[in-house]
């Protein structure tokens, strides 16, 4: 009988160098409410958001990743959430088509940047989808969220365009309105997630696909601890997600805590600010 190790060595985890696209939150504000985190009466401070965002960008650069920048557009306060701008897999771009009119103009802005920067193969989506907010790419499968933003039909559209199997997961808690607020890929075909964000059927799917997953508590999910970015070993994660940070460390990952409290006022965290460009 084998004994489970208490700690898994982080040296065993392999880092893959990533290419990210980000958008400095110069025009960040909370002027409308399209998720339960947003309160226009409370507002948000763009200066503080920029400061926190710069630290996130510096963390990626410090880990050896590449960060490209798209120019922020005045009047698009949520444009900082680059993850929603598209889904880029195998050099192909599945364009975003936003749910709310307040964010409609972001889809073409991101598609335009990608076209001008070497991604010629861009599909203008027929169906509503919010890019990597609801599509999380693993080696063999793309996990896709629905229930609040992205249409089920977009899951099929993305699968057909990208030629990757897309597995639908149903989100049921409005605080976790995008898949990337409830789950993140860890590399090596594993994920971390908060079970309470998913329908019973989707929870069963996750248990079957990822028997070894890292499960997060509601407390960690409620500080957007699952809106994290893992490069295979390092996990850039909201600093407040204390328990999850401890669990990840014990499982052989290197947590890199960041402070993004200002962006959380719009319902976003590290992953929301980060679009991965997969060639
Ligand atoms: N205020 C934005 C919205 O509700 C936040 C987007 C966060 N992005 C994400 N990838 N979860 O659309």
């Amino acid at each position: 009988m084998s004994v489970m190790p208490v700690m898994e060595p982080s040296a065993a985890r392999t880092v893959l160098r990533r290419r990210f696209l980000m958008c400095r939150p110069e025009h960040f504000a909370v002027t409308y409410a399209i998720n339960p985190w947003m309160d226009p009466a409370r507002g948000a401070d763009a200066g503080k958001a920029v400061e926190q965002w710069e630290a996130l960008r510096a963390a990626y650069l410090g880990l050896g990743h590449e960060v490209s920048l798209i120019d922020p557009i005045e009047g698009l306060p949520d444009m900082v959430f680059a993850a929603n701008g598209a889904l880029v897999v195998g050099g192909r771009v599945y364009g975003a088509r936003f749910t709310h009119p307040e964010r409609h103009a972001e889809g073409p802005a991101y598609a335009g940047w990608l076209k001008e920067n070497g991604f010629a193969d861009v599909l203008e989506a027929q169906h509503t989808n919010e890019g990597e907010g609801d599509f999380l790419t693993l080696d063999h499968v793309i996990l896709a969220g629905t229930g609040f933003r992205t249409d089920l039909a977009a899951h099929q559209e993305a699968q057909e365009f990208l030629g990757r199997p897309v597995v639908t997961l149903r989100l049921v808690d409005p605080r976790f309105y995008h898949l990337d607020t409830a789950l993140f890929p860890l590399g090596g075909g594993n994920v971390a997630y908060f079970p309470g964000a998913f329908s019973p059927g989707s929870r069963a799917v996750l248990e079957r696909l990822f028997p070894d997953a890292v499960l997060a508590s509601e407390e960690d999910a409620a500080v957007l601890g699952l809106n994290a970015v893992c490069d295979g070993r390092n996990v850039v994660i909201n600093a407040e997600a204390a328990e999850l940070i401890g669990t990840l460390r014990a499982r052989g990952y290197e947590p890199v805590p960041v402070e993004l409290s200002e962006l959380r006022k719009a319902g976003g965290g590290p992953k929301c600010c980060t679009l991965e460009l997969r060639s």
Side-chain angles (χ1 to χ4, degrees):
M1 222 179 87
S2 71
V3 179
M4 282 289 284
V6 179
M7 298 281 282
E8 296 174 38
S10 70
R13 307 267 175 216
T14 328
V15 179
L16 273 186
R17 192 165 188 262
R18 308 294 166 120
R19 186 172 173 210
F20 296 135
L21 178 60
M22 297 180 73
C23 179
R24 186 178 283 107
E26 283 163 28
H27 307 295
F28 178 64
V30 175
T31 51
Y32 51 79
I34 56 174
N35 70 52
W37 302 81
M38 302 175 86
D39 177 4
R42 180 171 168 231
D45 180 347
K48 190 171 177 197
V50 169
E51 222 171 88
Q52 295 182 335
W53 176 94
E54 287 291 358
L56 172 65
R57 179 175 171 235
Y60 288 140
L61 296 174
L63 293 170
H65 303 304
E66 189 185 326
V67 177
S68 299
L69 297 177
I70 179 173
D71 286 334
I73 298 173
E74 208 180 332
L76 297 177
D78 275 336
M79 194 174 168
V80 56
F81 301 118
N84 302 138
L87 168 65
V88 186
V89 176
R92 311 187 96 187
V93 178
Y94 179 57
R97 194 181 180 98
F98 282 82
T99 311
H100 300 97
E102 292 91 337
R103 298 196 69 187
H104 276 178
E106 293 181 47
Y110 276 92
W113 186 95
L114 289 160
K115 273 183 212 155
E116 283 164 23
N117 287 275
F119 295 88
D121 197 358
V122 179
L123 182 73
E124 202 182 304
Q126 295 301 304
H127 298 286
T128 300
N129 82 89
E130 298 199 347
E132 281 201 322
D134 274 320
F135 287 103
L136 296 173
T137 303
L138 283 74
D139 285 351
H140 299 298
V141 75
I142 295 175
L143 302 178
T146 191
F148 296 100
R149 301 285 179 94
T150 297
D151 274 356
L152 197 52
H155 297 183
Q156 281 144 26
E157 190 177 32
Q159 170 168 288
E160 193 58 33
F161 176 61
L162 298 168
R164 302 271 188 118
V166 172
V167 171
T168 292
L169 298 170
R170 188 163 291 278
L171 297 161
V172 296
D173 182 330
R175 290 173 299 167
F176 310 112
Y177 55 93
H178 276 142
L179 181 62
D180 75 354
T181 62
L183 181 150
F184 68 93
L186 285 165
N190 203 8
V191 298
Y193 66 97
F194 168 52
F198 297 93
S199 69
S202 296
R203 240 180 280 163
V205 168
L206 287 168
E207 281 163 22
R208 187 164 283 270
L209 284 177
F210 309 107
D212 198 31
V214 171
L215 300 183
S217 66
E218 178 161 15
E219 249 188 318
D220 287 325
V223 291
L224 290 179
L226 289 154
N227 195 250
V229 176
C230 180
D231 63 11
R233 180 164 69 206
N234 306 290
V235 183
V236 178
I237 182 170
N238 271 337
E240 297 88 343
E243 191 188 342
L244 180 55
I245 286 174
T247 307
L248 290 166
R249 194 167 281 129
R251 293 281 295 260
Y253 298 94
E254 289 286 345
V256 179
V258 291
E259 179 66 53
L260 283 184
S261 55
E262 209 55 28
L263 292 159
R264 194 164 45 226
K265 293 178 181 172
K271 171 57 201 168
C272 298
C273 297
T274 314
L275 174 63
E276 186 167 347
L277 306 178
R278 294 182 195 78
S279 50

